Amino acid sequence: MPYQDILDGIYNEVFQIENTGKVADYIPELAKIDENKYGIALIDKHQNVFSKGDALESFSIQSISKVITTSLIFSKIGNDLWKRVGYEPSGNAFNSLIQLEYEKGIPRNPFINAGALVIADLMLDHFENPKEYFLEFVRELSENPTINYNQKVVQSELENGYRNAALVNFIKSFDNIKHQPEEVLDFYYHQCSVEMSCVDLAKCFQVFANNGIIPKSNSKFLTSSQCKRMNALMQMCGFYDQAGEFTFKVGLPGKSGVGGGVVAIFPNQYTVAVWSPKLNKKGNSFYGLESLERLTTITETSIF
Ligand code: DON
């Protein structure tokens, strides 16, 4: 497949579309980004890397980190995970509180903020130094030892994250958070603040396209069944209340973040990451979705 030509074509075409998105400004530190950044990277099953635009520039991965924390906990505790968090699409915004009360503090899935906070609580239980472990693991998957947390973004979320503070306290009132809310938020904001490029992200997600095996070391991280379930979660919940539209238009498991990143996988074929900071009304990268819709249409590589 002539991936480089395809990426070049998509990039040039999408750049012509008027971008009606808006950079996330509810985290003030994220609003400082140059909104015209746009990069795309694809890694095929032979580990060839194709890229275009700002594909090597690091950005805040935000909610994309939730896939990594969830998979770490899933690999540790297996199906006991589903006692603490569900695996159904929420049909609500990523930071919504409304389902939690009538579902008695069990978040619908691990990718909405409520679910990711429960996973962060589990990270504190299962790793002696979760921040260090998480960072090392992301570096291993991405084969990039320079990846790091951005403390300014952590601070910015701490100072402005009233909704997350509400969520974690509310879930604790149902006994589904064991640690102190401050500790959980501290870990959660660190995982969200990790900065990676499109190439790093495409490398990082190869494990999900590769049946749970980390390509570089050939080590099995997730069982085949766990890998299947992680991909199912990305398909159903990776884009919150736009998961249906992403499935309809792109047709791949994937995950977005409010830093403007989107990553998607085609099992056994490729991983792809796009970055463009302007977000649509559902909080997903406007150009990210435009790019991936074109990619799967041109290459006929949707899983459907
Ligand atoms: O907690 C938050 O709101 C952010 N740290 C992450 C949200 C996010 O990335 C949602 N994704 N589209």
Side-chain angles (χ1 to χ4, degrees), residues 171-185:
I171 303 169
K172 194 166 174 66
S173 78
F174 291 100
D175 270 343
N176 196 21
I177 290 280
K178 308 279 179 262
H179 296 266
Q180 286 309 308
E182 301 71 39
E183 290 176 84
V184 177
L185 289 171

PDB file of all heavy atoms in Angstrom, residues 171-185:
ATOM      1  N   ILE A 171     -17.922   9.616  43.393  1.00  0.00           N
ATOM      2  CA  ILE A 171     -17.710   8.155  43.286  1.00  0.00           C
ATOM      3  C   ILE A 171     -17.266   7.599  44.637  1.00  0.00           C
ATOM      4  O   ILE A 171     -17.668   6.510  45.037  1.00  0.00           O
ATOM      5  CB  ILE A 171     -16.675   7.826  42.181  1.00  0.00           C
ATOM      6  CG1 ILE A 171     -17.112   8.399  40.823  1.00  0.00           C
ATOM      7  CG2 ILE A 171     -16.495   6.311  42.048  1.00  0.00           C
ATOM      8  CD1 ILE A 171     -16.033   8.353  39.748  1.00  0.00           C
ATOM      9  N   LYS A 172     -16.453   8.387  45.338  1.00  0.00           N
ATOM     10  CA  LYS A 172     -16.001   7.924  46.679  1.00  0.00           C
ATOM     11  C   LYS A 172     -17.182   7.772  47.624  1.00  0.00           C
ATOM     12  O   LYS A 172     -17.192   6.881  48.480  1.00  0.00           O
ATOM     13  CB  LYS A 172     -14.948   8.885  47.248  1.00  0.00           C
ATOM     14  CG  LYS A 172     -14.212   8.292  48.450  1.00  0.00           C
ATOM     15  CD  LYS A 172     -12.964   9.049  48.807  1.00  0.00           C
ATOM     16  CE  LYS A 172     -12.335   8.529  50.096  1.00  0.00           C
ATOM     17  NZ  LYS A 172     -11.817   7.158  50.006  1.00  0.00           N
ATOM     18  N   SER A 173     -18.194   8.597  47.459  1.00  0.00           N
ATOM     19  CA  SER A 173     -19.362   8.491  48.340  1.00  0.00           C
ATOM     20  C   SER A 173     -20.087   7.153  48.137  1.00  0.00           C
ATOM     21  O   SER A 173     -20.841   6.713  48.994  1.00  0.00           O
ATOM     22  CB  SER A 173     -20.313   9.675  48.132  1.00  0.00           C
ATOM     23  OG  SER A 173     -21.077   9.496  46.959  1.00  0.00           O
ATOM     24  N   PHE A 174     -19.843   6.504  46.983  1.00  0.00           N
ATOM     25  CA  PHE A 174     -20.414   5.175  46.723  1.00  0.00           C
ATOM     26  C   PHE A 174     -19.396   4.064  47.025  1.00  0.00           C
ATOM     27  O   PHE A 174     -19.593   2.912  46.637  1.00  0.00           O
ATOM     28  CB  PHE A 174     -20.840   5.056  45.251  1.00  0.00           C
ATOM     29  CG  PHE A 174     -22.022   5.900  44.871  1.00  0.00           C
ATOM     30  CD1 PHE A 174     -21.853   7.101  44.213  1.00  0.00           C
ATOM     31  CD2 PHE A 174     -23.317   5.495  45.188  1.00  0.00           C
ATOM     32  CE1 PHE A 174     -22.939   7.885  43.847  1.00  0.00           C
ATOM     33  CE2 PHE A 174     -24.414   6.268  44.828  1.00  0.00           C
ATOM     34  CZ  PHE A 174     -24.230   7.468  44.163  1.00  0.00           C
ATOM     35  N   ASP A 175     -18.255   4.456  47.632  1.00  0.00           N
ATOM     36  CA  ASP A 175     -17.207   3.482  47.998  1.00  0.00           C
ATOM     37  C   ASP A 175     -16.501   2.863  46.804  1.00  0.00           C
ATOM     38  O   ASP A 175     -15.945   1.765  46.924  1.00  0.00           O
ATOM     39  CB  ASP A 175     -17.788   2.324  48.845  1.00  0.00           C
ATOM     40  CG  ASP A 175     -17.717   2.652  50.311  1.00  0.00           C
ATOM     41  OD1 ASP A 175     -16.962   3.579  50.665  1.00  0.00           O
ATOM     42  OD2 ASP A 175     -18.419   1.969  51.089  1.00  0.00           O
ATOM     43  N   ASN A 176     -16.538   3.527  45.654  1.00  0.00           N
ATOM     44  CA  ASN A 176     -15.834   2.963  44.486  1.00  0.00           C
ATOM     45  C   ASN A 176     -14.506   3.685  44.233  1.00  0.00           C
ATOM     46  O   ASN A 176     -13.914   3.517  43.181  1.00  0.00           O
ATOM     47  CB  ASN A 176     -16.744   2.996  43.254  1.00  0.00           C
ATOM     48  CG  ASN A 176     -16.230   2.087  42.150  1.00  0.00           C
ATOM     49  OD1 ASN A 176     -15.439   1.161  42.409  1.00  0.00           O
ATOM     50  ND2 ASN A 176     -16.626   2.355  40.921  1.00  0.00           N
ATOM     51  N   ILE A 177     -14.063   4.495  45.176  1.00  0.00           N
ATOM     52  CA  ILE A 177     -12.712   5.072  45.179  1.00  0.00           C
ATOM     53  C   ILE A 177     -12.157   4.770  46.569  1.00  0.00           C
ATOM     54  O   ILE A 177     -12.802   5.079  47.572  1.00  0.00           O
ATOM     55  CB  ILE A 177     -12.756   6.611  44.940  1.00  0.00           C
ATOM     56  CG1 ILE A 177     -13.177   6.950  43.508  1.00  0.00           C
ATOM     57  CG2 ILE A 177     -11.427   7.273  45.304  1.00  0.00           C
ATOM     58  CD1 ILE A 177     -12.112   6.840  42.434  1.00  0.00           C
ATOM     59  N   LYS A 178     -10.944   4.133  46.609  1.00  0.00           N
ATOM     60  CA  LYS A 178     -10.391   3.736  47.915  1.00  0.00           C
ATOM     61  C   LYS A 178      -9.451   4.798  48.483  1.00  0.00           C
ATOM     62  O   LYS A 178      -9.359   4.970  49.682  1.00  0.00           O
ATOM     63  CB  LYS A 178      -9.611   2.413  47.784  1.00  0.00           C
ATOM     64  CG  LYS A 178     -10.384   1.291  47.113  1.00  0.00           C
ATOM     65  CD  LYS A 178     -11.328   0.589  48.074  1.00  0.00           C
ATOM     66  CE  LYS A 178     -12.116  -0.516  47.413  1.00  0.00           C
ATOM     67  NZ  LYS A 178     -13.466  -0.168  47.004  1.00  0.00           N
ATOM     68  N   HIS A 179      -8.719   5.451  47.596  1.00  0.00           N
ATOM     69  CA  HIS A 179      -7.693   6.396  48.057  1.00  0.00           C
ATOM     70  C   HIS A 179      -8.297   7.781  48.257  1.00  0.00           C
ATOM     71  O   HIS A 179      -9.473   8.017  47.965  1.00  0.00           O
ATOM     72  CB  HIS A 179      -6.550   6.432  47.040  1.00  0.00           C
ATOM     73  CG  HIS A 179      -5.843   5.103  46.950  1.00  0.00           C
ATOM     74  ND1 HIS A 179      -4.721   4.792  47.681  1.00  0.00           N
ATOM     75  CD2 HIS A 179      -6.149   3.985  46.246  1.00  0.00           C
ATOM     76  CE1 HIS A 179      -4.364   3.561  47.428  1.00  0.00           C
ATOM     77  NE2 HIS A 179      -5.216   3.033  46.552  1.00  0.00           N
ATOM     78  N   GLN A 180      -7.460   8.692  48.756  1.00  0.00           N
ATOM     79  CA  GLN A 180      -7.937  10.068  48.937  1.00  0.00           C
ATOM     80  C   GLN A 180      -8.120  10.727  47.567  1.00  0.00           C
ATOM     81  O   GLN A 180      -7.274  10.547  46.674  1.00  0.00           O
ATOM     82  CB  GLN A 180      -6.926  10.864  49.774  1.00  0.00           C
ATOM     83  CG  GLN A 180      -6.949  10.501  51.250  1.00  0.00           C
ATOM     84  CD  GLN A 180      -8.365  10.548  51.833  1.00  0.00           C
ATOM     85  OE1 GLN A 180      -9.076  11.541  51.701  1.00  0.00           O
ATOM     86  NE2 GLN A 180      -8.779   9.449  52.442  1.00  0.00           N
ATOM     87  N   PRO A 181      -9.181  11.511  47.395  1.00  0.00           N
ATOM     88  CA  PRO A 181      -9.426  12.159  46.102  1.00  0.00           C
ATOM     89  C   PRO A 181      -8.195  12.917  45.577  1.00  0.00           C
ATOM     90  O   PRO A 181      -7.907  12.841  44.376  1.00  0.00           O
ATOM     91  CB  PRO A 181     -10.578  13.117  46.415  1.00  0.00           C
ATOM     92  CG  PRO A 181     -11.337  12.423  47.500  1.00  0.00           C
ATOM     93  CD  PRO A 181     -10.299  11.732  48.337  1.00  0.00           C
ATOM     94  N   GLU A 182      -7.448  13.581  46.448  1.00  0.00           N
ATOM     95  CA  GLU A 182      -6.279  14.355  45.988  1.00  0.00           C
ATOM     96  C   GLU A 182      -5.226  13.446  45.352  1.00  0.00           C
ATOM     97  O   GLU A 182      -4.594  13.811  44.370  1.00  0.00           O
ATOM     98  CB  GLU A 182      -5.607  15.112  47.162  1.00  0.00           C
ATOM     99  CG  GLU A 182      -6.500  16.101  47.894  1.00  0.00           C
ATOM    100  CD  GLU A 182      -7.574  15.416  48.748  1.00  0.00           C
ATOM    101  OE1 GLU A 182      -7.271  14.385  49.379  1.00  0.00           O
ATOM    102  OE2 GLU A 182      -8.733  15.896  48.735  1.00  0.00           O
ATOM    103  N   GLU A 183      -5.027  12.260  45.953  1.00  0.00           N
ATOM    104  CA  GLU A 183      -4.020  11.322  45.419  1.00  0.00           C
ATOM    105  C   GLU A 183      -4.453  10.812  44.041  1.00  0.00           C
ATOM    106  O   GLU A 183      -3.648  10.661  43.129  1.00  0.00           O
ATOM    107  CB  GLU A 183      -3.892  10.095  46.321  1.00  0.00           C
ATOM    108  CG  GLU A 183      -3.259  10.293  47.661  1.00  0.00           C
ATOM    109  CD  GLU A 183      -3.315   8.967  48.421  1.00  0.00           C
ATOM    110  OE1 GLU A 183      -2.418   8.131  48.205  1.00  0.00           O
ATOM    111  OE2 GLU A 183      -4.278   8.764  49.193  1.00  0.00           O
ATOM    112  N   VAL A 184      -5.755  10.515  43.922  1.00  0.00           N
ATOM    113  CA  VAL A 184      -6.281   9.984  42.655  1.00  0.00           C
ATOM    114  C   VAL A 184      -6.149  11.048  41.562  1.00  0.00           C
ATOM    115  O   VAL A 184      -5.688  10.771  40.451  1.00  0.00           O
ATOM    116  CB  VAL A 184      -7.763   9.551  42.824  1.00  0.00           C
ATOM    117  CG1 VAL A 184      -8.335   9.074  41.495  1.00  0.00           C
ATOM    118  CG2 VAL A 184      -7.883   8.470  43.890  1.00  0.00           C
ATOM    119  N   LEU A 185      -6.524  12.285  41.902  1.00  0.00           N
ATOM    120  CA  LEU A 185      -6.442  13.370  40.908  1.00  0.00           C
ATOM    121  C   LEU A 185      -4.994  13.636  40.510  1.00  0.00           C
ATOM    122  O   LEU A 185      -4.696  13.896  39.345  1.00  0.00           O
ATOM    123  CB  LEU A 185      -7.084  14.649  41.462  1.00  0.00           C
ATOM    124  CG  LEU A 185      -8.611  14.606  41.591  1.00  0.00           C
ATOM    125  CD1 LEU A 185      -9.120  15.823  42.349  1.00  0.00           C
ATOM    126  CD2 LEU A 185      -9.282  14.520  40.212  1.00  0.00           C
TER     127      LEU A 185
END
